[in-house]
Amino acid sequence: MPSRLLALTGPAAAAAHGWDGFRDLEWPLLWCAPATADSSPHVIRTRRWSSPEYRDGQCIASADLVLRHLLAPLFGEIKQCDSIAWRDRVELALEHALRVGAVDVGLLSGKGGVGANRDLVWLLARRFGEPSTESYAETRALQFFRWLGYWCWRQLCVCVNGRILQRVDFVIPFRQLRRLARPKLFLPHQGLIVEVDGRSVHEQNFEGDHRRQTNYDRLGYHWVSFTPTQIERSPQMVSAAIEGAFRRAGHTPIDLRPHAMLQK
């Protein structure tokens, strides 16, 4: 029995896992192998103890290896067929893998995890220890806020009299300082609540959504709500709404520099 296996890795393995950003091979894969099979862009020789998976009869490298190989220079140079930057696409896969428990952020950050992969170290570092997003739409929203120049807390809880009322998708702090400590108790003066309301989930909870928004107003929180389509297709409107919410709360929005997405 051989000590090593030929396992799928990189974009093809991410597609096999069904991770966000690579589902259904939604971009043109580079299937042309270099001179030797061992250096093929989608295959790696891996040891049996490195926890490969088997899906539909295919051997797939472990999730942490797949994430590391997604950031190889070879893949980063592939011409994209849409507006999603390569590192943003890998971040979509990373958040999905963390969300479903396929990888552990502690192991990825630890010795032997990411190794010398500076891009993955960078992706992990800019998470600031925040919990994973809960959907593809939330990760895209997070990337959009970052493109605007805002950073935000994720999945904060709104509490009333010590009781958790509800959990919010994002909070953009009014004080845009890097690595501002995540509050244990989120109060109205600390930031702007941003909800990302996807049609499939929120049509089934119409009454609950309106009750949630009424509670925000009753407790004095400042909030805005967007759909994934608005974030992707109407970035100027979303940007203006956030700026307006900042001003209504008595805070000055950051000086936004022109970004390619805002030119759509």
Side-chain angles (χ1 to χ4, degrees):
M1 185 176 293
S3 60
R4 291 177 178 265
L5 301 169
L6 204 60
L8 209 60
T9 189
H17 280 295
W19 288 345
D20 289 344
F22 295 92
R23 285 195 299 266
D24 301 323
L25 301 179
E26 55 198 16
W27 56 277
L29 277 171
L30 181 64
W31 286 113
C32 305
T36 61
D38 285 352
S39 58
S40 170
H42 58 280
V43 174
I44 184 177
R45 290 192 178 276
T46 181
R47 296 183 183 276
R48 288 184 177 275
W49 48 257
S50 63
S51 304
E53 297 183 23
Y54 289 88
R55 293 178 181 239
D56 299 326
Q58 287 184 311
C59 180
I60 304 173
S62 60
D64 60 321
L65 277 177
V66 174
L67 284 168
R68 180 166 50 183
H69 295 153
L70 284 175
L71 287 161
L74 173 65
F75 297 129
E77 293 172 1
I78 297 174
K79 183 178 181 181
Q80 297 298 295
C81 62
D82 56 28
S83 61
I84 303 179
W86 184 257
R87 279 201 294 195
D88 288 340
R89 192 180 290 278
V90 177
E91 184 178 32
L92 286 165
L94 171 63
E95 292 295 332
H96 191 155
L98 291 171
R99 183 163 64 245
V100 301
V103 295
D104 179 85
V105 70
L107 294 177
L108 280 175
S109 304
K111 185 178 275 188
V114 296
N117 194 317
R118 290 177 295 179
D119 284 330
L120 189 48
V121 171
W122 180 80
L123 279 177
L124 292 171
R126 74 175 181 175
R127 299 183 74 255
F128 298 136
E130 293 286 308
S132 62
T133 57
E134 294 192 330
S135 66
Y136 172 92
E138 285 190 14
T139 308
R140 287 295 287 154
L142 180 71
Q143 291 172 346
F144 176 72
F145 302 148
R146 188 186 300 131
W147 288 330
L148 289 181
Y150 296 107
W151 70 275
C152 40
W153 293 308
R154 318 177 195 177
Q155 309 300 327
L156 280 182
C157 292
V158 174
C159 300
V160 178
N161 298 325
R163 182 174 64 88
I164 295 177
L165 182 64
Q166 56 211 29
R167 187 173 57 182
V168 302
D169 293 338
F170 301 103
V171 172
I172 300 179
F174 290 133
R175 296 176 61 211
Q176 283 288 306
L177 301 176
R178 288 297 177 187
R179 297 183 182 272
L180 190 64
R182 180 183 174 90
K184 294 181 180 179
L185 181 64
F186 169 52
L187 300 175
H189 70 273
Q190 292 176 304
L192 172 69
I193 294 173
V194 183
E195 296 282 5
V196 181
D197 297 338
R199 183 186 299 274
S200 60
V201 175
H202 293 273
E203 274 189 347
Q204 302 171 9
N205 193 29
F206 181 79
E207 292 296 333
D209 285 344
H210 281 269
R211 192 181 310 116
R212 174 196 67 188
Q213 294 166 359
T214 301
N215 283 330
Y216 292 159
D217 292 332
R218 176 173 62 88
L219 297 170
Y221 286 94
H222 302 277
W223 62 276
V224 288
S225 177
F226 306 112
T227 67
T229 302
Q230 288 174 328
I231 291 173
E232 294 282 359
R233 299 184 182 179
S234 304
Q236 290 177 318
M237 181 272 291
V238 174
S239 173
I242 293 174
E243 287 187 70
F246 262 65
R247 291 193 177 95
R248 286 193 300 274
H251 295 270
T252 303
I254 63 172
D255 182 18
L256 299 180
R257 290 174 295 179
H259 189 277
M261 282 199 66
L262 298 180
Q263 307 305 317
K264 287 184 177 181

